[in-house]
Amino acid sequence: MNPLEATVYVIDDDESIRELLGWLMKRNGIRAETFSHARAFLKAYRPEAPGCLVLDLFMPGMSGLELQQYLKESGIEMPVIFLSGRADVPKAVHAVKSGAIDFIEKPFDYRKIVDLVRDCLERDASGRESRARERRHAGHLASLTQREREVLERVVAGKVNRVIAEEMAISIKTVEAHRARIMEKFAVDSLAELVQATLAARKVAPPAPPPEG
């Protein structure tokens, strides 16, 4: 199988739930991998692989919430559906506030969880596309000269060429030339596109060091 094929990662210490969800996903044409605990998943998972998590809230060792937090701190953004055999409203609220898509109590509705998984896979694909676009724009931003960056900052702030020229003590024609090169480097055709691309580029931060342990 293609390692980059969208995959549902089922993590549950209950073997019957793992088998049921694995069968259910396969029956609906969705690739699934199952794990009995969080550490096994972390050992096998590759961040470049698209997919989503169906995650038991209560597990021995690293709990579902702890795994969710670990992934978040590691910069891994992946949609999460939590499963639990116990009604625990505070933990459910905490899970959703931390980015979970939904919280389902066992026993669950088969159709509902398949629909949720499909929605999560679509969200993951959309998110990956958006982050790839942000990285491209960050590359465009990095390619600018210092002077071009100074012009860009003023353009994004909504300043017109005349004001930019006065502030930077250069001619309006020079400002226009800088703007043209900036637009070319970002591969955009309008001011609105340039502003959007710049804002997207600013979202990309240097990767955080991996957590200890």
Side-chain angles (χ1 to χ4, degrees), residues 50-132:
C52 70
L53 282 169
V54 177
L55 180 59
D56 187 24
L57 187 60
F58 299 98
M59 290 186 292
M62 180 182 281
S63 72
L65 283 174
E66 288 170 340
L67 175 58
Q68 181 191 30
Q69 186 63 29
Y70 179 92
L71 293 173
K72 193 173 181 180
E73 291 173 355
S74 301
I76 298 173
E77 299 181 51
M78 187 161 46
V80 177
I81 301 168
F82 274 108
L83 299 175
S84 176
R86 297 174 241 171
D88 192 320
V89 175
K91 280 190 168 56
V93 171
H94 180 78
V96 172
K97 283 185 175 179
S98 296
I101 301 301
D102 210 334
F103 185 96
I104 301 175
E105 282 188 65
K106 303 171 187 175
F108 44 80
D109 181 286
Y110 290 6
R111 284 178 295 184
K112 181 178 180 181
I113 198 165
V114 169
D115 288 343
L116 275 173
V117 162
R118 285 179 172 148
D119 177 58
C120 283
L121 293 177
E122 289 176 4
R123 287 176 185 237
D124 183 66
S126 176
R128 287 174 182 275
E129 182 180 339
S130 177
R131 291 189 293 276

Side-chain angles (χ1 to χ4, degrees), residues 1-212:
M1 279 190 278
N2 180 358
L4 295 183
E5 180 183 349
T7 302
V8 182
Y9 300 96
V10 178
I11 309 173
D12 197 308
D13 60 317
D14 186 329
E15 184 177 359
S16 64
I17 293 294
R18 295 198 306 272
E19 290 180 353
L20 171 61
L21 287 172
W23 169 82
L24 189 59
M25 294 303 119
K26 184 177 180 180
R27 182 182 178 188
N28 286 273
I30 301 170
R31 179 183 177 186
E33 292 184 16
T34 63
F35 303 89
S36 59
H37 54 87
R39 295 292 179 187
F41 162 74
L42 289 172
K43 186 175 181 180
Y45 180 65
R46 297 293 176 266
E48 66 273 13
C52 70
L53 282 169
V54 177
L55 180 59
D56 187 24
L57 187 60
F58 299 98
M59 290 186 292
M62 180 182 281
S63 72
L65 283 174
E66 288 170 340
L67 175 58
Q68 181 191 30
Q69 186 63 29
Y70 179 92
L71 293 173
K72 193 173 181 180
E73 291 173 355
S74 301
I76 298 173
E77 299 181 51
M78 187 161 46
V80 177
I81 301 168
F82 274 108
L83 299 175
S84 176
R86 297 174 241 171
D88 192 320
V89 175
K91 280 190 168 56
V93 171
H94 180 78
V96 172
K97 283 185 175 179
S98 296
I101 301 301
D102 210 334
F103 185 96
I104 301 175
E105 282 188 65
K106 303 171 187 175
F108 44 80
D109 181 286
Y110 290 6
R111 284 178 295 184
K112 181 178 180 181
I113 198 165
V114 169
D115 288 343
L116 275 173
V117 162
R118 285 179 172 148
D119 177 58
C120 283
L121 293 177
E122 289 176 4
R123 287 176 185 237
D124 183 66
S126 176
R128 287 174 182 275
E129 182 180 339
S130 177
R131 291 189 293 276
R133 184 166 55 249
E134 289 167 3
R135 289 192 295 271
R136 285 197 301 272
H137 289 318
H140 299 151
L141 184 61
S143 73
L144 300 182
T145 66
Q146 181 58 37
R147 205 62 161 166
E148 288 167 351
R149 279 176 175 266
E150 293 171 3
V151 171
L152 177 62
E153 291 300 318
R154 290 169 170 79
V155 170
V156 172
K159 296 178 180 180
V160 298
N161 289 351
R162 177 181 55 78
V163 173
I164 296 173
E166 290 173 358
E167 288 185 357
M168 296 182 65
I170 56 179
S171 71
I172 292 178
K173 284 189 176 181
T174 301
V175 174
E176 291 172 347
H178 281 312
R179 285 185 65 154
R181 283 195 295 273
I182 292 167
M183 299 276 282
E184 182 179 353
K185 287 183 178 181
F186 272 90
V188 295
D189 299 316
S190 69
L191 175 59
E193 288 178 330
L194 178 62
V195 171
Q196 290 171 357
T198 304
L199 295 177
R202 288 174 177 172
K203 291 182 182 178
V204 179
E212 296 180 2

